[in-house]
Structures are given as C-alpha cells and as structure tokens.
Amino acid sequence: MTSTSTGQYPRTRMRRMRRDAFSRALMRESRLSADDLIMPVFVQEGVGQRCVIDTLPGVERLSIDLLLQQLDELVPLGLQAIAPFPVVGPEGKSDEAADAWAPDGLVQRTVAAVKAAHPALGVMTDVALDPYTSHGQDGLLGDDGDILNDETVEALVKQALSHAAAGADVVAPSDMMDGRVAAIRDALEAADHRNVRILSYAAKYASHFYGPFRDAVGSSANLGGSNKNTYQMDPGNSDEAMREVALDLEEGADMVMVKPGMPYLDIVRRVKERFGVPTFAYQVSGEYAMLKFAAAAGALDERAVVLEAMMGFKRAGCDAVLTYFTPSVLRWLAEERT
Ligand code: PBG
C-alpha cells in the first residue's frame, strides 16, 4: 500500500463519510416511511371479539368494530393501506367455496365498513379460495386430487367482483392459478370497475414460512398434510419468477408481489431491475414470528432489527411491504418525528 497508488487508501477512506451523523444522513440511499407499509389484518365475525394467535404474538383476530377502533388510532399515524384476511368457521367452508363471493360475506362487509369510516385508506383484498374451501387449498379440487385451474379462475373472478362491488380499491390474487389476472381484469372492465387495481401475487413460493398464517385463519387443520406445490413456486427458482411477473403484467396487473420477503429479496431485486413496476414484498407470518420470538427470548432488540429488516426491503427495491409489524413501525416512526 503506497500513497502514490491512484484512487486507493489513503486518498480513499470510506470511513470519512461515515464519521459524522450529517454525512451519514446525506448519503443514505434508502429511507423508510409510513408510505412504505401495508397492514395485513385478520377479521372475524361478531362484535367486541378479539382473539390472540399463539404463533403470531402481538397480532389478533378482530371483529369489524374492533378493527375500526384500531384504524382510528393508526390512520392518523399515516397508515396508507390494509389487507384484510377473513377467519371463516366450518359453516363457511365447502368444496365449491361459494361463500367467497357472498355479497354480504365477512370480507365484503369489512371492506364496506372500513371504506365508510376511512374513505382515503386503501383496502386491498386477498383473492384466493383457501379460507372457504373445506380442504384448505387456494383452488377447487378435482376428482383426481389436482387443483382445477380454469374452474378456479371462474370462482376467483366472482370473488374479485364481489370485493370490487363492496368497494375494494385493490384486488390481490394470491392463488397462483394461470390466467387469473387477465380474467379478473376483463371482468372488472366489463363491470365498470375500471379503477380497481390488481396487485398480483406474481412470484409466490410454496413456503413453510406461512405456518402461523394458516393457524391464524384456521386453514392448517383443513390442509392436513397436503401442500400447494402444484401451483405455488419452487423455492429453488428465480427465472421462473421473471416469467410469472411478465405474464401477470401482460395480463393487466398494476403491481406485483414477491412472497415471502426476507428469504426472497434477490427476487425483488431482479423484478424491480427488469420490469421497473410497483414491486411489493410480503414479510409473511413466519418471518414475523422469527423476529418476534427471538426478541421475546431476549436474543434481539425488536425495534432495531425490525427497522433494519424494513430497510432491507427498501434497499432491495420494494416500493412497499406487507408486514404484521406495521402498527409498531408506524408508532416508532411517529416517535422519531417528535
Ligand atoms: C393464501 C395465503 C397465504 C398467505 C396469504 N394468503 C398462505 C398460503 O399460501 O397458504 C400467507 C401469509 C403469511 O404467511 O403471512 N391465499
């Protein structure tokens, strides 16, 4: 190492810019704000109902009235959007999943109530049949045990239209059937819902990080030992995710999602670089549980690691993140401002 070498130490000292808070702030590339967050919520029937989820500490299933109370607190902190997921009892599950498009179903009533109370809050609904099927799969089951693609797409179209009719701003197909984005887009246009946006779960992997979610919505027991490997993606694949995203964009998706999040940030980066479209990631239930349980055990500082993880999503190229940490992050960001 000599002082005559060009562009190298000691002329270049990377630590100079890191020396003071002001120069660290000036060169910081990624930032996190309330605008980057989407809050998933679990809704259940009833009034005044609140139910803890053992594998998802800090997240509760709420009846609509209590959800509205929570939103009254979080909207002033800058909450931009929620994604409701229904907890459906055995009476609402069937082989045909017909309750998925009931005009007065739980999700449809949730959307209407939330939009009435908070018209400017974005509401994005999950389009998939798993809360409503007796077998817990996202699609309809054929006699041979296969998930029927085209029949499922017809059902998803009915479900998406019922969400749009209830006032959903965004419908988010999370089922991974082929051709569903085009079918939903055409149906929305035909029904005069031309401003309803589609957030496609374009690259959704067959992941074991969904475990606590399935406990939360009560679909793990229905699913039994089955898996979703014939429609969700193989965790080993990345090029296939590019094809999925390209197809969903051609079919009329406005935004695309990568799911899960933290173990798949390489996919986020490729999608953002290749397509330059609104790109979201879902920090799923198992990722939340990992951080939450590690913090509860005293192994990690929850606030510090959660904010660092959020920064990771932003740095990878996410425009927004669906995360169960949304209420905490909104509160921490508000504290930083005061
Ligand atoms: C199913 C659906 C799943 C999640 C959201 N929608 C799970 C699955 O595919 O079984 C998982 C979300 C999470 O783990 O937080 N349509």
Side-chain angles (χ1 to χ4, degrees):
M1 199 59 64
T2 69
S3 57
T4 52
S5 61
T6 46
Q8 283 173 13
Y9 170 85
R11 288 178 182 153
T12 300
R13 288 182 188 266
M14 296 300 281
R15 291 184 54 197
R16 282 187 207 118
M17 285 297 286
R18 293 180 202 135
R19 183 167 189 287
D20 295 301
F22 86 87
S23 50
R24 289 195 296 270
L26 289 176
M27 76 167 181
R28 188 164 302 127
E29 298 167 39
S30 300
R31 269 168 225 281
L32 179 69
S33 85
D35 296 349
D36 301 317
L37 304 167
I38 300 162
M39 177 168 74
V41 295
F42 297 108
V43 282
Q44 63 176 43
E45 291 290 358
V47 176
Q49 298 296 312
R50 175 192 296 285
C51 187
V52 300
I53 305 158
D54 290 338
T55 53
L56 222 43
V59 179
E60 293 171 322
R61 308 178 179 117
L62 299 176
S63 52
I64 294 176
D65 57 314
L66 294 188
L67 170 63
L68 293 177
Q69 271 182 23
Q70 193 190 15
L71 296 180
D72 288 341
E73 183 211 342
L74 296 179
V75 168
L77 297 181
L79 177 66
Q80 295 289 3
I82 64 163
F85 292 93
V87 182
V88 177
E91 69 291 343
K93 298 183 195 277
S94 66
D95 287 348
E96 303 76 41
D99 275 29
W101 53 91
D104 61 347
L106 177 57
V107 168
Q108 291 80 357
R109 277 180 284 124
T110 303
V111 171
V114 170
K115 290 305 292 184
H118 297 283
L121 181 68
V123 178
M124 47 178 70
T125 53
D126 194 61
V127 177
L129 302 182
D130 54 308
Y132 306 96
T133 51
S134 24
H135 42 73
Q137 295 284 354
D138 290 18
L140 303 172
L141 195 57
D143 292 337
D144 60 355
D146 194 21
I147 301 301
L148 303 168
N149 192 86
D150 302 5
E151 292 79 352
T152 298
V153 170
E154 281 175 38
L156 297 171
V157 165
K158 289 187 246 179
Q159 186 183 24
L161 285 174
S162 79
H163 293 171
D169 302 290
V170 181
V171 291
S174 72
D175 56 286
M176 291 297 280
M177 296 301 120
D178 288 317
R180 90 280 204 219
V181 172
I184 292 170
R185 173 53 73 210
D186 290 348
L188 288 172
E189 286 289 327
D192 238 5
H193 293 303
R194 59 179 67 98
N195 289 321
V196 171
R197 278 134 276 188
I198 298 178
L199 165 60
S200 159
Y201 285 71
K204 177 171 179 178
Y205 288 85
S207 171
H208 288 89
F209 284 99
Y210 306 148
F213 174 96
R214 293 178 187 171
D215 297 336
V217 299
S219 67
S220 25
N222 301 74
L223 207 51
S226 310
N227 60 54
K228 302 189 177 183
N229 295 350
T230 68
Y231 46 103
Q232 298 181 348
M233 281 182 50
D234 185 314
N237 295 352
S238 173
D239 288 342
E240 188 188 4
M242 300 305 110
R243 293 186 70 194
E244 284 283 4
V245 169
L247 285 168
D248 286 358
L249 291 171
E250 274 168 37
E251 291 181 29
D254 302 286
M255 309 161 250
V256 294
M257 173 98 82
V258 173
K259 178 183 178 184
M262 287 162 59
Y264 294 85
L265 290 182
D266 57 316
I267 308 297
V268 169
R269 165 55 64 186
R270 281 192 78 186
V271 168
K272 192 66 186 173
E273 277 184 355
R274 166 102 52 119
F275 299 99
V277 298
T279 303
F280 300 165
Y282 197 146
Q283 185 185 45
V284 300
S285 55
E287 304 176 57
Y288 172 91
M290 279 195 315
L291 295 176
K292 205 71 189 177
F293 283 116
L300 294 173
D301 172 344
E302 179 176 342
R303 174 174 171 157
V305 292
V306 171
L307 290 174
E308 184 177 329
M310 290 300 129
M311 197 58 97
F313 282 100
K314 293 290 295 175
R315 194 186 60 244
C318 284
D319 296 295
V321 186
L322 264 103
T323 174
Y324 302 97
F325 286 115
T326 296
S328 306
V329 175
L330 288 174
R331 288 184 199 114
W332 294 328
L333 291 174
E335 278 171 32
E336 280 174 12
R337 285 196 298 272
T338 54

